[in-house]
Amino acid sequence: MTIDGPGPWWSRRRSRIRAQWPTRLPGIRFCARGTLTYRAHAPLKTGGTAATRAAARLALDELGRGITERHMPEQLTTAQERLTLAAAHWHTPEDAPGLWLKARITLMLTEQDADRAQRYQDALREVTLQLAQEHERRERFRQAVFDKPDATRIWWLDRHLDDLNSLDWDVFKEKILPLVGAADDIQSKAERIAQTLLYVWEKLGDNPGQHARFTTTVRTVLEQMGWTDALAWLAPDELSASDAPGSGRDDGEEPHPVAEAGAAR
């Protein structure tokens, strides 16, 4: 690029430019108006004036389109400034050696394209606002309902007040409660422990021998862990039953013979 331009001023050619270049928004174009100044050296000059003018106009068209298609209609000022910086001084295109050109181009939007661009922006803002409102609604709902397990339980109950027969706490525990931020709360732990104890109790049934063996096993584990203070939850009769000589057998089981003292010797 050179500031003074190639050759004497009287050898330069000028051409009026009226073109439409695309914006980044499909269907809306910038109108380009201005003057193109160019000059060609050999070998391009041998093609004649028409060929030189065509090469210069095509080079400017490629330059202008490359700039405007990266800008939205509302970025008209930015596109204009970038085009001015790229085209206002003498330069030679890479694919046209021997051709020098510069241009002063003004970009504008027609009234129809400006209206279409404004409608697009209004619709885009409306959609963006709706998405933001929906995101805010979900976030507030999460904070109000799914922040604490108790609040989630109240919400679940409130949803079924009109039809309590459809209230399914199993579904709540499997599907809803895991979504709560602090689902591992005291009540949830207590419920899991209660379910485990209920399962054990059902397995023990009404068999006194089973109860005695279970109590003995629990007491042994607690003593080995050093948690003897936890033995208070065992009923006194269960403790005494587990210490009884026959507590380790089921009802109807034959008692094991006890060796006499003399036999041991």
Side-chain angles (χ1 to χ4, degrees):
M1 180 183 295
T2 175
I3 301 300
D4 297 331
W9 63 268
W10 46 264
S11 64
R12 303 167 188 171
R13 303 286 183 178
R14 288 180 174 82
S15 177
R16 302 290 297 178
I17 298 297
R18 296 177 64 88
Q20 291 184 335
W21 292 333
T23 68
R24 206 174 76 187
L25 187 61
I28 298 180
R29 296 160 294 183
F30 288 125
C31 292
R33 303 289 186 269
T35 302
L36 168 65
T37 305
Y38 60 94
R39 185 176 187 274
H41 296 279
L44 185 63
K45 190 175 181 180
T46 59
T49 303
T52 303
R53 181 174 62 250
R57 294 176 69 93
L58 287 174
L60 177 63
D61 187 77
E62 182 178 358
L63 175 65
R65 287 176 177 271
I67 293 174
T68 61
E69 67 185 4
R70 298 196 302 267
H71 294 79
M72 295 293 288
E74 64 272 16
Q75 296 177 304
L76 172 62
T77 302
T78 302
Q80 177 69 70
E81 292 173 348
R82 292 187 183 278
L83 180 61
T84 300
L85 289 174
H89 300 290
W90 285 106
H91 64 281
T92 180
E94 295 181 359
D95 57 348
L99 175 65
W100 289 82
L101 61 90
K102 67 176 181 178
R104 294 188 179 277
I105 303 296
T106 300
L107 297 178
M108 64 187 70
L109 284 170
T110 64
E111 184 177 353
Q112 293 82 1
D113 279 346
D115 290 341
R116 284 196 289 267
Q118 186 60 51
R119 289 197 299 270
Y120 172 81
Q121 288 297 323
D122 293 342
L124 184 62
R125 280 193 292 269
E126 181 68 22
V127 172
T128 303
L129 178 60
Q130 291 177 0
L131 292 176
Q133 290 175 337
E134 181 63 21
H135 175 75
E136 180 69 16
R137 185 193 67 80
R138 289 196 300 266
E139 183 64 20
R140 289 183 177 273
F141 178 78
R142 184 192 65 79
Q143 294 176 357
V145 175
F146 288 95
D147 188 52
K148 296 181 179 179
D150 287 341
T152 310
R153 293 185 181 95
I154 294 174
W155 167 78
W156 184 253
L157 177 62
D158 182 70
R159 284 177 56 89
H160 298 83
L161 284 179
D162 295 335
D163 186 11
L164 292 179
N165 292 329
S166 64
L167 185 61
D168 192 338
W169 288 108
D170 291 334
V171 173
F172 173 82
K173 294 174 184 177
E174 295 176 3
K175 305 296 184 181
I176 305 299
L177 194 58
L179 301 177
V180 181
D184 198 24
D185 64 322
I186 295 177
Q187 183 170 343
S188 299
K189 292 179 180 178
E191 290 178 354
R192 289 197 295 270
I193 294 174
Q195 291 174 356
T196 302
L197 293 178
L198 179 61
Y199 171 81
V200 172
W201 189 260
E202 291 176 349
K203 285 294 185 180
L204 291 175
D206 297 331
N207 191 326
Q210 289 281 74
H211 281 266
R213 280 197 298 273
F214 177 75
T215 303
T216 301
T217 302
V218 172
R219 185 180 64 175
T220 301
V221 172
L222 293 177
E223 289 176 347
Q224 290 180 353
M225 296 298 296
W227 300 340
T228 54
D229 55 335
L231 292 173
W233 71 274
L234 292 173
D237 55 342
E238 292 179 339
L239 286 173
S240 59
S242 64
D243 292 334
S247 61
R249 59 182 176 85
D250 294 335
D251 290 348
E253 182 180 349
E254 293 295 332
H256 297 290
V258 179
E260 295 181 355
R265 293 191 296 268

